[in-house]
Amino acid sequence: MNKLIKLSTITAAIFATSSLYAAEVTTKGGFQVKSDDGQYSFKFNGRIQLDAVAFNSDDIDLNNGTEIRRARFAANGKMAQWGYKLQYDFMSSESVKDAYISYNGFNNTEVLIGSQIEAFGMEPQTSSNDVTFIERSSIIEAFGLNRAMGIAARQWGDNWSLNYGIYGQDVNKDNAGDEELGFNGRFNYAPVIDKDQLISFGASLSTRQLSDGASVRFRSRPESHQADTRIVDTSSLAADGYNMYALETAMKFGSLTILGEYINADVDSSVNNDSSFDGFYLSASYLLDGSSRPYNTKQGKFKRVKPGKDGAWEIAARVSSLDLNDKEAGVMGGQVDSITLGANYYINKNMRAMFNVVSSDGDEFAKYDATSVAARMQVTW
């Protein structure tokens, strides 16, 4: 409750400051106040994602049921060459998400200071409002970096983007001792790019040194958030640090979109042999109304589909594999291969219904095999 009061107070203060310069108020896609010269603005938005899932497994009893996956409010805007964003999740994590100040005074460059998404990988950069499937792939849950305090820069051109920064820890976690720092960078280049066609390639790097006595752990659910037991898990590995590398590709041919990523994680062990783990996913989706998925060159990611007045259907499929076994290092966290089939109905620009069937097949070191059927109703504003 205290966090809620603080968030409401900060949001009201930002709104009051922005309103001093306001000359225009709009409610299309969110409540926005904007000064007549465009130099000052405030926008209030949010999201609600309601999920239901049913599991089938011969190995374990997973919890069938419903959940509010995300319920977030956010405020963002700008003050001349400065910008800001504050986002809070009231449900699944009860935590601050984005909380940063940005400087936009340089040409094609943005500097961000505060809690933000770390620069690593393609799918983690894509908002949960816009991802094709209900949950991101197993390799993203295992290796994908989320938000952390940091200072980062984002630069871009007509067909490329570069995001890099130094990051500490999640602002919601207690800091026991000195804060560990790491460096991340992501580069994306599209040799072919226009409204209906895209061929893009990218690479990411993350390196982090850990404090004495620290550990690292990689694990993943069977691509369903309501699975209360991870299907694969390395357990905690005593480490001096770790490095991660990622390769990505994104392609668009009219209504067809193809995405793929590969991630490798190398752990510098402090007690045993060094270990290495990896995984990949490859997905394809097709919009049945003939439209094309929008692409954001500045951030090197896809944006949400904007259907016509009659809505739009999308069909999708994904294959993924996550290997957390390293025999030489004595770590057998398990391997899981998953196939996801999905269908999305974009009701309008702000609402979407999603349906997924996921089959996850674990090896002898995985904890179980499972199949799930899931649905989501989503609204954003």
Side-chain angles (χ1 to χ4, degrees):
M1 181 60 68
N2 288 335
K3 288 185 177 180
L4 176 59
I5 294 173
K6 290 179 181 178
L7 179 66
S8 300
T9 303
I10 294 171
T11 302
I14 294 174
F15 173 70
T17 302
S18 301
S19 297
L20 294 175
Y21 304 92
E24 179 183 352
V25 178
T26 62
T27 58
K28 185 177 182 181
F31 181 83
Q32 182 170 352
V33 180
K34 190 174 183 180
S35 64
D36 55 359
D37 60 2
Q39 290 296 301
Y40 296 84
S41 68
F42 168 86
K43 185 174 183 180
F44 180 73
N45 51 46
R47 74 192 69 177
I48 300 173
Q49 297 173 352
L50 310 176
D51 289 4
V53 65
F55 293 99
N56 179 50
S57 175
D58 294 331
D59 308 310
I60 192 173
D61 183 17
L62 296 168
N63 295 332
N64 302 327
T66 61
E67 71 169 335
I68 301 177
R69 180 67 173 90
R70 296 177 180 92
R72 296 182 184 176
F73 292 127
N76 62 79
K78 68 176 184 176
M79 301 175 183
Q81 295 178 327
W82 295 87
Y84 57 86
K85 183 175 182 180
L86 175 64
Q87 182 181 192
Y88 188 87
D89 192 318
F90 291 89
M91 293 303 302
S92 61
S93 57
E94 296 186 21
S95 60
V96 173
K97 294 300 183 181
D98 298 307
Y100 62 77
I101 297 170
S102 62
Y103 179 72
N104 305 281
F106 304 116
N107 187 39
N108 288 357
T109 299
E110 182 178 30
V111 179
L112 297 90
I113 303 172
S115 178
Q116 57 190 283
I117 296 175
E118 296 189 56
F120 185 83
M122 174 174 54
E123 199 173 30
Q125 310 304 314
T126 305
S127 168
S128 63
N129 294 332
D130 307 330
V131 292
T132 305
F133 300 92
I134 291 177
E135 295 296 336
R136 297 179 175 92
S137 65
S138 56
I139 69 163
I140 301 303
E141 182 177 4
F143 304 132
L145 302 175
N146 203 321
R147 289 172 171 86
M149 286 291 292
I151 178 169
R154 181 182 293 127
Q155 298 175 288
W156 63 90
D158 293 337
N159 63 347
W160 63 272
S161 65
L162 175 64
N163 189 194
Y164 53 93
I166 296 174
Y167 303 90
Q169 68 179 34
D170 186 337
V171 68
N172 300 286
K173 294 182 179 179
D174 293 332
N175 187 10
D178 295 335
E179 188 168 355
E180 298 164 347
L181 300 177
F183 171 81
N184 294 359
R186 175 181 179 241
F187 177 72
N188 175 274
Y189 173 68
V192 177
I193 182 170
D194 60 35
K195 181 180 178 181
D196 296 319
Q197 294 188 72
L198 172 74
I199 298 177
S200 173
F201 302 98
S204 298
L205 165 69
S206 175
T207 180
R208 184 175 291 267
Q209 293 300 309
L210 304 178
S211 58
D212 293 341
S215 62
V216 63
R217 183 179 190 179
F218 302 110
R219 56 182 181 166
S220 179
R221 299 176 177 88
E223 299 186 351
S224 176
H225 184 259
Q226 287 178 249
D228 53 342
T229 302
R230 266 64 171 191
I231 190 170
V232 289
D233 189 346
T234 63
S235 298
S236 295
L237 304 174
D240 293 323
Y242 62 94
N243 300 317
M244 297 196 299
Y245 313 91
L247 297 174
E248 65 183 63
T249 185
M251 301 182 184
K252 178 174 67 172
F253 305 99
S255 299
L256 176 66
T257 299
I258 299 172
L259 304 175
E261 288 192 78
Y262 168 83
I263 300 178
N264 171 260
D266 293 331
V267 179
D268 181 11
S269 176
S270 59
V271 295
N272 297 312
N273 294 333
D274 295 346
S275 54
S276 181
F277 315 102
D278 65 356
F280 75 90
Y281 76 83
L282 181 65
S283 69
S285 61
Y286 188 82
L287 289 162
L288 301 183
D289 67 343
S291 62
S292 182
R293 184 178 295 272
Y295 182 77
N296 185 322
T297 306
K298 175 181 174 180
Q299 296 179 296
K301 66 179 184 180
F302 283 98
K303 299 293 288 181
R304 75 182 61 181
V305 173
K306 296 182 179 180
K309 62 179 182 178
D310 296 326
W313 278 96
E314 178 182 39
I315 55 174
R318 178 177 67 197
V319 295
S320 66
S321 180
L322 172 62
D323 187 357
L324 298 183
N325 294 325
D326 188 328
K327 186 176 181 180
E328 293 184 0
V331 180
M332 307 305 291
Q335 177 175 339
V336 57
D337 300 319
S338 300
I339 298 175
T340 302
L341 301 178
N344 301 320
Y345 178 57
Y346 297 89
I347 302 169
N348 52 47
K349 294 180 180 180
N350 300 95
M351 297 186 68
R352 174 171 65 163
M354 308 177 71
F355 310 92
N356 282 183
V357 177
V358 183
S359 176
S360 296
D361 182 20
D363 69 358
E364 59 183 307
F365 301 105
K367 298 186 184 301
Y368 55 88
D369 299 332
T371 299
S372 64
V373 178
R376 168 177 294 173
M377 178 62 74
Q378 168 184 298
V379 61
T380 64
W381 66 90

